[in-house]
Amino acid sequence: MPGNAVDPLATEKTRDQIMAEREAKKLAKQAKKQKTAPTPTAATPAVLTTPSAPATKIITEVEQTTITTKLTTTTTTKVQDAVASKTTQPAAVNGKDAEAGEKTREQIKAEREAKKAAKKAGKGGGAKVEGIAQQLADLKVAEKAPVAASAAPSTTEADQEKKKPALSKAERRAIQEAQRAAKAQVQTKKAQHAAKAPPSAAPKGPNRKSVSPTTAATSSSPVKCPASTPNVDCRVKLFNHLVCAKEDSQFINDPLVHPSIARLGVQYAKRTVVGSNARCIAFLHALRQVVHDFETPAKKEFGRSLDAAVKHHVDHLHKCRPLAVSVSNAYKQFKNQLTQLPADVPETESKELLVHFIDTYIENQIGKAAQAISGFLQEKITDGDVLLTFACSSLIQFICEEAKRRQVAFRVIVVDSRPGCEGQELLRRLHATGIPCTYVLINAVGYVMVEATKVLLGAHALLANGYVMARTGTAQVALVANAHNVPVLVCCETHKFSERFQTDAIVYNELSDPNQLVRGDKCQLSNWAAKGKLLPLNLSYDITPPELVSAVVTEVAILPCTSVPVILRIKPDIGY
């Protein structure tokens, strides 16, 4: 089998060999013609006149024949070596054949130079051809040397990897445990050394930090009450986003805060001013005083300067207590009015326009709205009705007083709940006007609901999805009324409408002081702060779903809860 594979390879000739043989034949024919020619011709005068010319031609012919024989012998030897390597190393046949068949760029250039030298053999002689052949051999040797050199490092690295012992999983785990133990031992030594070291004294001289009077006053002022400050570890993560109650005494020595705003902030924090309408009216009165006393700085515009000052005051009130929806809507309307002030109007006239806007807002959005709502409900209240209400609402008080003026024979059941017990204030006001009342706590609402003919409820805000946000306990009263088929009417002005969507009382709410839930020294919660992981939850508002509300009475009309988006679209100037 090896002999059969060599014969066809040996008989094949390359293009260079064929060209070399043709050139040799041409030179041989020319030499014969020159020998037989008796007289010199015009084509070869120099060759005949020179005695050494024929000799050079003969030498070149011999050299060409030797070149062709060398080329043929080298190709045959290469083919024989390739065949022998196939028989001895079958795995490396494809790689060696590819190397023998493929030529580099340098080899191709060398062969071209050899062809040129063969054509010009008469001029340069055979020394150049031999030199080119030697260059080809050197190139092949140089190509093989780097391959061997590059293979050597890889083999040494592989040998080193083989010599390394392979660690088992248990051994690797033991090494990791030893490293961890060493780190722990170092840390314990550092802690012991730090405990034994004496406490460092305060730095003296230029390293001592100077404390300014304002910094000392800020640090010494009590921002939060330590008794009511909840521990961070005790708080449930479900209520971490809610705003905690602030301490009554706020740091009010701020020159940028107007005295009326500072006084109102303390009233908000102490819960002296409660109720959505009352908080809104107090805010607008304080804002009117701020506008009246405001002085435009030098080289400043009145509108922009006043806007920045009012924003600072509103932020101060928000720190004292989160703003009600009614207060936020009023502030939004004031800002819109402030941006619409003409620029060419003097400052005194601009202040008069703003004061007039504040007075008009109080009169229309609160005063006249209450009258319109009362007018709608007077048609629903008849003799013998028993009205049930919850907590204290100034709007419900106004409606009951109007019904009393109309000399309607009715009575009121006031349902109240701890810890605020705001229903006691409503009871006192209604009793002062001569309206017969009954006062019960919320745990007895199921017993008195059978006597009620209508349930009138106030609201802190009416959300865009129809849910009612009111004092905690409103949802329970509405649920009991729905179970007894008693109609539930929610009285709410449109300036309390909010564009917020909310379906529970956890997404947004206000946390009141936990100490309000402590009834006395005998209460189990009297020392809740020292008991560890315990924090009383005192939510201010709850959410009543629209399924439990029969209708919402507004100054526009008596509407279902789902009509809130319609009112917001009709009156785009209202909304949170």
Side-chain angles (χ1 to χ4, degrees):
M1 293 299 291
N4 295 333
V6 171
D7 292 336
L9 293 172
T11 55
E12 292 180 358
K13 297 180 180 180
T14 62
R15 186 177 180 182
D16 298 335
Q17 294 175 1
I18 293 169
M19 295 294 293
E21 289 177 358
R22 289 179 181 177
E23 293 292 333
K25 289 179 181 179
K26 288 180 181 179
L27 293 173
K29 288 180 181 180
Q30 290 179 0
K32 288 179 181 180
K33 289 179 180 180
Q34 290 177 0
K35 287 179 181 181
T36 55
T39 57
T41 58
T44 58
V47 175
L48 294 176
T49 55
T50 306
S52 61
T56 56
K57 291 289 181 182
I58 295 168
I59 291 168
T60 55
E61 183 179 356
V62 173
E63 288 175 352
Q64 287 291 342
T65 55
T66 56
I67 289 168
T68 54
T69 53
K70 284 181 180 181
L71 290 172
T72 54
T73 53
T74 53
T75 53
T76 52
T77 53
K78 287 181 180 179
V79 172
Q80 289 177 359
D81 293 338
V83 173
S85 63
K86 284 182 182 180
T87 56
T88 56
Q89 298 178 357
V93 172
N94 296 330
K96 289 186 178 181
D97 289 341
E99 291 178 358
E102 295 179 356
K103 296 181 180 180
T104 61
R105 186 176 180 181
E106 295 177 353
Q107 292 175 358
I108 293 170
K109 287 183 179 180
E111 290 177 357
R112 289 179 182 176
E113 293 292 336
K115 290 179 183 178
K116 292 179 182 178
K119 290 180 181 180
K120 299 178 182 179
K123 297 180 180 180
K128 291 183 179 179
V129 178
E130 292 178 358
I132 292 168
Q134 185 66 29
Q135 289 179 0
L136 287 171
D138 294 339
L139 285 172
K140 292 178 182 178
V141 174
E143 286 176 359
K144 293 179 181 179
V147 175
S150 62
S154 63
T155 54
T156 56
E157 291 178 359
D159 295 339
Q160 290 178 359
E161 290 180 357
K162 289 180 180 179
K163 289 179 181 179
K164 290 182 180 179
L167 298 175
S168 62
K169 189 174 181 181
E171 292 175 350
R172 291 196 299 269
R173 187 177 296 173
I175 293 171
Q176 291 177 358
E177 293 294 336
Q179 292 175 354
R180 291 174 184 172
K183 289 181 180 179
Q185 188 176 3
V186 171
Q187 291 178 357
T188 52
K189 288 182 179 180
K190 288 182 179 180
Q192 292 175 0
H193 181 71
K196 291 179 181 179
S200 59
K204 299 180 181 180
N207 294 331
R208 185 181 299 173
K209 294 183 180 179
S210 60
V211 181
S212 61
T214 56
T215 307
T218 306
S219 60
S220 61
S221 61
V223 178
K224 292 184 179 180
C225 180
S228 61
T229 303
N231 189 5
V232 178
D233 298 336
C234 302
R235 295 188 61 181
V236 182
K237 293 182 179 180
L238 187 63
F239 306 101
N240 281 344
H241 63 284
L242 300 181
V243 180
C244 297
K246 299 293 190 303
E247 213 271 336
D248 294 344
S249 58
Q250 294 289 327
F251 183 68
I252 60 176
N253 294 330
D254 189 355
L256 300 178
V257 176
H258 194 272
S260 61
I261 298 295
R263 188 185 307 111
L264 180 62
V266 175
Q267 292 174 353
Y268 278 0
K270 290 184 177 181
R271 302 300 196 271
T272 305
V273 179
V274 293
S276 184
N277 286 335
R279 292 168 66 183
C280 182
I281 293 172
F283 168 73
L284 291 174
H285 284 313
L287 187 61
R288 180 172 57 185
Q289 191 66 29
V290 170
V291 173
H292 183 270
D293 299 339
F294 180 75
E295 294 181 0
T296 307
K299 298 181 181 180
K300 296 289 184 179
E301 187 179 355
F302 171 75
R304 294 183 179 179
S305 302
L306 181 60
D307 188 11
V310 171
K311 185 179 184 302
H312 181 72
H313 289 86
V314 172
D315 292 340
H316 175 78
L317 293 177
H318 184 74
K319 291 177 182 178
C320 298
R321 184 181 178 184
L323 299 179
V325 175
S326 58
V327 176
S328 300
N329 289 338
Y331 172 58
K332 180 181 178 181
Q333 292 304 308
F334 178 80
K335 287 184 64 176
N336 292 338
Q337 187 68 22
L338 191 61
T339 55
Q340 295 175 4
L341 289 177
D344 54 351
V345 175
E347 181 178 340
T348 55
E349 189 174 349
S350 299
K351 289 183 179 180
E352 291 177 359
L353 291 175
L354 293 176
V355 170
H356 176 70
F357 166 76
I358 293 173
D359 295 337
T360 305
Y361 188 89
I362 295 173
E363 181 181 358
N364 294 338
Q365 298 294 333
I366 300 176
K368 291 184 178 180
Q371 294 177 4
I373 293 172
S374 177
F376 287 123
L377 279 177
Q378 295 306 321
E379 301 175 0
K380 306 296 181 181
I381 301 175
T382 58
D383 293 335
D385 279 344
V386 179
L387 305 180
L388 188 143
T389 184
F390 176 73
C392 181
S393 174
S394 59
L395 185 57
I396 301 298
Q397 175 191 347
F398 182 77
I399 293 169
C400 294
E401 290 176 354
E402 285 293 322
K404 180 64 177 179
R405 292 192 190 99
R406 291 175 53 244
Q407 297 181 356
V408 178
F410 70 99
R411 67 187 183 95
V412 179
I413 300 175
V414 179
V415 181
D416 203 1
S417 67
R418 294 184 55 254
C421 294
E422 298 173 357
Q424 296 179 2
E425 180 63 23
L426 179 62
L427 177 65
R428 184 186 63 79
R429 296 176 184 178
L430 293 180
H431 181 70
T433 58
I435 299 174
C437 300
T438 303
Y439 180 83
V440 296
L441 291 177
I442 195 170
N443 53 359
V445 67
Y447 296 98
V448 297
M449 187 60 71
V450 293
E451 302 177 6
T453 57
K454 295 178 182 64
V455 176
L456 300 181
L457 299 175
H460 174 77
L462 197 59
L463 305 180
N465 55 351
Y467 283 71
V468 180
M469 188 175 185
R471 185 69 62 193
T472 303
T474 306
Q476 184 177 354
V477 174
L479 181 62
V480 175
N482 187 35
H484 288 81
N485 294 325
V486 179
V488 178
L489 301 176
V490 175
C491 304
C492 182
E493 302 91 337
T494 54
H495 75 93
K496 297 180 183 178
F497 283 13
S498 174
E499 293 180 354
R500 187 191 297 119
F501 285 80
Q502 190 172 343
T503 57
D504 55 53
I506 301 174
V507 176
Y508 175 80
N509 210 321
E510 181 183 348
L511 291 177
S512 299
D513 187 7
N515 291 323
Q516 294 179 356
L517 300 177
V518 181
R519 301 181 61 181
D521 296 337
K522 296 182 179 181
C523 182
Q524 296 294 331
L525 298 176
S526 59
N527 196 17
W528 63 268
K531 292 184 179 180
K533 296 184 178 181
L534 177 63
L535 176 64
L537 181 64
N538 188 8
L539 295 176
S540 299
Y541 306 107
D542 65 4
I543 302 297
T544 304
E547 292 81 8
L548 303 180
V549 179
S550 303
V552 177
V553 185
T554 65
E555 67 268 25
V556 179
I558 300 177
L559 304 171
C561 294
T562 54
S563 298
V564 176
V566 179
I567 302 299
L568 294 174
R569 186 168 62 251
I570 294 173
K571 298 178 67 175
D573 54 344
I574 61 175
Y576 182 46

